Amino acid sequence: MKSILITGCSTGIGYYCAKELHLQGYKVFATARKEEDVSRLQTEGLISCQLNLDDSNSIEQALNWVLEQNNGQLDALFNNAAYGQPGAVEDLTRDVLRQQFETNLFGTHELTCKVIDVMRQQGHGRIIQNSSVLGLITLKYRGAYNASKFALEGLTDTLRQELSGSNIYISLIEPGPVESDFRKNAHQAFKDNIQIEGSAHQAVYESVEKRLAKQQSERKKDPFTLGPEAVLKPLIHALESHKPKARYYVTFPTHLFGFLRRILPTSALDWILQKVSDDENK
């Protein structure tokens, strides 16, 4: 039975993949930040414990507990936990930007390094990073999230080179829009951390607030948004293939923008991305 530690299993991609891998025979350690989510996962038959990527003690305690449950071994790590902090770059305080990186990069990095040490000792392992299409291209008002995912991609590409020959493989999954609580949580982070009044972007913020309120009331689905099951197939390939890919594109927008990034000059790509952002923020 292969073992895997997954972060961010309360909802969305992490929750779906944890359940499906469990059904397929994996020994899944499904972690979540909140105690009530851990309790729910346990009642659903998953092995679960708390893991808060913002807290080094929580990371160490969770990993130690997982290793105790599994004879000191861990076959795979799926770094899924993350959140999005919306807002114009000039409206991001240092503390708000730092918090985005604490969760999306620094905590993930700390956990990954600890797991690599385990995998080197056992002689094998798979690490999968859940990145984003916004680790390939940027969109306006997503600067903090863009930056965190670009940084994750850079660290992962470097790790892939440094792990060459170690029998430890690391892959990136780059989804576009996927059904989850990501947008709801991002909206809350925006309300908590961005000062709308007096911002040069106040008119855009107010328009976005109205659009989000309308979307929540109508509950319309974006035609390009896929369910979390879209991530499962590339995740299994990264876990089980003799030659896992460095990158897995998921959803049409990721394939499209990944292609456009390769063929277009920066000015042309900027024009397209600004149009996409402007249409979203109407």
Side-chain angles (χ1 to χ4, degrees), residues 127-143:
I127 299 169
I128 299 90
Q129 313 273 48
N130 198 19
S131 182
S132 170
V133 62
L134 295 182
L136 300 175
I137 52 93
T138 62
L139 291 176
K140 292 193 294 186
Y141 306 110
R142 294 166 175 81

Side-chain angles (χ1 to χ4, degrees), residues 27-254:
K27 187 173 185 178
V28 177
F29 295 94
T31 69
R33 183 170 55 88
K34 296 179 180 179
E35 186 176 349
E36 56 265 33
D37 289 323
V38 170
S39 298
R40 174 174 53 83
L41 292 168
Q42 290 172 340
T43 62
E44 294 178 12
L46 292 169
I47 307 170
S48 184
C49 71
Q50 279 185 272
L51 195 163
N52 182 355
L53 289 172
D54 298 345
D55 184 342
S56 292
N57 288 331
S58 176
I59 291 171
E60 184 170 8
Q61 290 171 10
L63 181 57
N64 287 342
W65 183 83
V66 167
L67 294 174
E68 288 173 4
Q69 305 302 307
N70 204 48
N71 300 316
Q73 302 281 303
L74 185 64
D75 296 309
L77 169 66
F78 181 29
N79 283 314
N80 168 71
Y83 78 98
Q85 173 60 65
V89 170
E90 64 193 279
D91 291 332
L92 298 169
T93 66
R94 182 171 184 159
D95 286 342
V96 168
L97 186 59
R98 180 189 293 114
Q99 185 56 54
Q100 179 79 109
F101 272 72
E102 284 290 348
T103 303
N104 291 12
L105 186 71
F106 301 150
T108 294
H109 169 68
E110 183 176 353
L111 175 60
T112 300
C113 291
K114 289 179 179 296
V115 169
I116 287 174
D117 185 50
V118 174
M119 291 178 172
R120 284 193 182 278
Q121 292 181 47
Q122 67 192 22
H124 70 274
R126 299 290 171 102
I127 299 169
I128 299 90
Q129 313 273 48
N130 198 19
S131 182
S132 170
V133 62
L134 295 182
L136 300 175
I137 52 93
T138 62
L139 291 176
K140 292 193 294 186
Y141 306 110
R142 294 166 175 81
Y145 187 73
N146 292 335
S148 72
K149 290 302 184 180
F150 267 75
L152 180 66
E153 298 253 341
L155 274 182
T156 303
D157 284 341
T158 307
L159 262 178
R160 189 177 62 254
Q161 297 168 24
E162 294 172 352
L163 292 171
S164 178
S166 68
N167 203 30
I168 301 170
Y169 296 91
I170 188 164
S171 301
L172 287 154
I173 295 179
E174 295 156 331
V178 171
E179 289 178 1
S180 69
D181 284 343
F182 184 87
R183 290 190 180 99
K184 182 181 77 173
N185 295 335
H187 187 206
Q188 187 61 52
F190 173 77
K191 292 192 291 185
D192 289 345
N193 297 320
I194 300 299
Q195 180 63 45
I196 296 177
E197 293 294 328
S199 168
H201 304 273
Q202 181 173 343
V204 174
Y205 291 158
E206 291 173 346
S207 175
V208 170
E209 284 284 312
K210 291 178 183 177
R211 176 178 58 81
L212 289 173
K214 184 178 180 181
Q215 282 182 345
Q216 289 174 5
S217 63
E218 296 178 353
R219 295 188 177 181
K220 287 185 177 180
K221 183 178 177 180
D222 186 313
F224 296 120
T225 299
L226 300 181
E229 64 275 6
V231 176
L232 181 64
K233 183 177 179 180
L235 175 59
I236 290 176
H237 189 275
L239 290 170
E240 298 181 356
S241 173
H242 292 298
K243 292 184 178 180
K245 297 179 181 180
R247 282 179 165 78
Y248 296 85
Y249 287 2
V250 178
T251 74
F252 173 75
T254 304

